[in-house]
Amino acid sequence: MTEKEYNKCVDLYADNLFRFIVKNLGHTEDARDVVQNAFEILWKHCQEVSFEKGKSYLFTVGYHNMIDHVRKVKRITLVDNFKEDSSIADTNVHNAREVMEKALARLSEVQRSLILLKDYEGYSYEEIGMIMELNPSQVKVYLHRARLHLKDYFVKIQNVI
């Protein structure tokens, strides 16, 4: 990858990568650090990475840096099972974005990443598998389970009102 192609990668993919990371971390400054680190790593390895693979490489490095960051600061707790008695009925939420963010926050880190990569960023199963180091069938299964959790959350009226 040439310097010109690297700069084009920055222009094309920085915003998408930042959105993906900030949605997962929920903290803007940490997301900026992770994205900057991903681009720094791409710059260090630009001789080995072709321009066509730049987007996939950035998202893979960004995802792994995000996981490392989460492990270091332990801000996010992985939750496999939802508590039946927990709800957001006591808060008035009239904004669909807020409801969606609360629903995504209830998912595990992997499930949330899958939902964001597939439904928000529009990646294919194969691309997601490369980014998250899963095979495409695992991506489909985990994504299906994540969507079932979201569906269960949204059908309860107290969660949406």
Side-chain angles (χ1 to χ4, degrees), residues 4-140:
K4 193 176 234 182
E5 290 173 332
Y6 174 82
N7 288 333
K8 191 169 184 171
C9 278
V10 172
D11 293 338
L12 292 175
Y13 310 129
D15 290 338
N16 292 344
L17 182 60
F18 177 75
R19 276 196 320 267
F20 170 66
I21 300 297
V22 80
K23 279 283 190 185
N24 276 292
L25 289 180
H27 192 262
T28 306
E29 294 303 318
D30 290 344
R32 285 188 180 130
D33 291 342
V34 169
V35 170
Q36 181 176 356
N37 191 22
F39 277 102
E40 180 183 344
I41 291 171
L42 176 63
W43 179 251
K44 288 178 182 176
H45 296 100
C46 68
Q47 298 302 320
E48 298 99 38
V49 179
S50 68
F51 176 72
E52 294 76 28
K53 299 284 184 179
K55 183 176 183 181
S56 175
Y57 185 83
L58 279 170
F59 271 82
T60 301
V61 169
Y63 174 76
H64 290 290
N65 284 339
M66 178 186 69
I67 297 299
D68 291 343
H69 177 78
V70 168
R71 287 181 182 149
K72 286 178 188 173
V73 297
K74 296 181 181 178
R75 286 190 182 152
I76 298 176
T77 304
L78 296 178
V79 179
D80 291 331
N81 298 324
F82 294 111
K83 295 178 184 175
E84 290 298 323
D85 58 342
S86 66
S87 68
I88 60 167
D90 54 339
T91 61
N92 290 330
V93 179
H94 299 289
N95 186 345
R97 173 176 273 168
E98 289 176 20
V99 172
M100 188 63 173
E101 287 175 0
K102 288 184 181 190
L104 286 172
R106 296 179 61 100
L107 296 175
S108 73
E109 182 180 332
V110 172
Q111 289 174 330
R112 183 174 43 256
S113 295
L114 287 169
I115 291 287
L116 291 174
L117 285 171
K118 180 67 178 156
D119 298 333
Y120 191 71
E121 295 293 334
Y123 282 96
S124 69
Y125 295 116
E126 291 77 18
E127 290 173 320
I128 294 170
M130 287 174 37
I131 291 170
M132 297 184 67
E133 295 180 354
L134 300 169
N135 66 48
S137 62
Q138 286 176 309
V139 171
K140 290 176 186 177

